[in-house]
Amino acid sequence: MTSTIPAPVTRTADGHALQAVLLDMDGTLVDTEGFWWEVEEQIFHELGHRLEASWRDVVVGGPMSRSASFLIERTGADIGLAELSVLLNERFEARIADRVPLMPGAERLLSELARHNVPTALVSASHRRVIDQVLLTLGRDRFTLTVAGDEVPRTKPHPDPYLIAAGGLGAHPSRCAVIEDTATGIAAAEAAGCRVVAVPSVGGIEPAPGRTVVRSLEDVNLPFLRSLITPMN
């Protein structure tokens, strides 16, 4: 895939080097990573298999095709990838039909970004149908654009989703702050050249060059995000 990326700029019109904020969805803005695992356990129980707890760290944050394929291979369940993917999406949608719980600090952060007119993108490995349902809670108008896992040639951990989001916002990846909760999403953002804020939900994430690890979104605000992007001379 060839992505057209704008040339770097020193500062945005408001005087800050930060051009955009790109946010993951499951486990970052909404407390749904556990829901996905519950649905996976339920479906495989019905198929006569029990999922190992250690597998959760493998499937979390990944694209549906990778997670579903892994579980089919490990369990030997008699179900195809396409059929399982449909089941997972349908069960998950039913699971969040009544309420999608937000992660601590998510509402405040999204409101702050909107109040200051910061370009934002929701970048998720989840399918469009799931994203659209979650947006009923998050607020579609909170995001300049959204990128779904089934709308890109290669989803996370490949950089494509974040390159597409940055390009769609007219931002250079190095001037984007990405907020992610899993190693898979972090790998995608870092491969795209973005500055990453990790808010671990399942499993630990270690600090690294270009990566800052925080306890929760309650530790993240606009001044903090702006401080991560150093202006070019």
Side-chain angles (χ1 to χ4, degrees):
M1 173 184 174
T2 302
S3 298
T4 302
I5 303 174
V9 298
T10 302
R11 292 178 182 272
T12 56
D14 62 4
H16 296 280
L18 177 68
Q19 291 182 328
V21 177
L22 317 178
L23 305 106
D24 174 54
M25 187 177 76
D26 294 298
T28 299
L29 291 176
V30 290
D31 192 7
T32 50
E33 292 290 14
F35 291 0
W36 279 111
W37 183 246
E38 289 173 15
V39 165
E40 289 160 348
E41 284 189 312
Q42 181 185 64
I43 291 173
F44 277 89
H45 176 74
E46 293 169 2
L47 293 170
H49 299 275
R50 184 178 68 84
L51 301 187
E52 298 290 339
S54 60
W55 296 347
R56 185 177 179 183
D57 289 343
V58 179
V59 301
V60 67
M64 176 77 69
S65 57
R66 190 196 72 181
S67 300
S69 295
F70 173 84
L71 294 176
I72 291 172
E73 179 182 352
R74 286 304 180 96
T75 61
D78 185 19
I79 189 171
L81 176 59
E83 182 183 359
L84 178 57
S85 296
V86 170
L87 275 177
L88 286 169
N89 275 317
E90 288 180 345
R91 294 285 181 90
F92 183 77
E93 287 181 68
R95 182 70 174 81
I96 64 174
D98 296 328
R99 176 175 173 270
V100 182
L102 299 184
M103 296 296 288
E107 174 68 29
R108 176 203 46 80
L109 178 60
L110 291 175
S111 296
E112 183 180 9
L113 295 175
R115 189 166 61 253
H116 290 273
N117 298 313
V118 177
T120 60
L122 185 66
V123 184
S124 177
S126 290
H127 289 191
R128 169 56 56 187
R129 55 190 285 184
V130 171
I131 289 178
D132 285 344
Q133 185 164 337
V134 174
L135 284 172
L136 297 176
T137 296
L138 289 177
R140 189 178 300 274
D141 60 343
R142 278 345 195 345
F143 303 96
T144 310
L145 63 84
T146 61
V147 178
D150 58 340
E151 296 175 340
V152 295
R154 302 183 305 173
T155 189
K156 304 173 186 180
H158 298 287
D160 306 41
Y162 283 111
L163 292 175
I164 289 170
L169 295 175
H172 192 274
S174 66
R175 294 291 174 261
C176 295
V178 169
I179 305 178
E180 272 279 2
D181 72 305
T182 66
T184 299
I186 289 168
E190 291 180 342
C194 302
R195 184 62 192 262
V196 176
V197 177
V199 191
S201 63
V202 177
I205 302 292
E206 294 296 324
R211 179 196 309 166
T212 302
V213 181
V214 298
R215 178 183 57 85
S216 79
L217 290 181
E218 293 179 322
D219 299 328
V220 180
N221 56 27
L222 184 53
F224 169 75
L225 294 174
R226 284 172 170 166
S227 74
L228 301 177
I229 309 298
T230 304
M232 297 174 62
N233 296 323

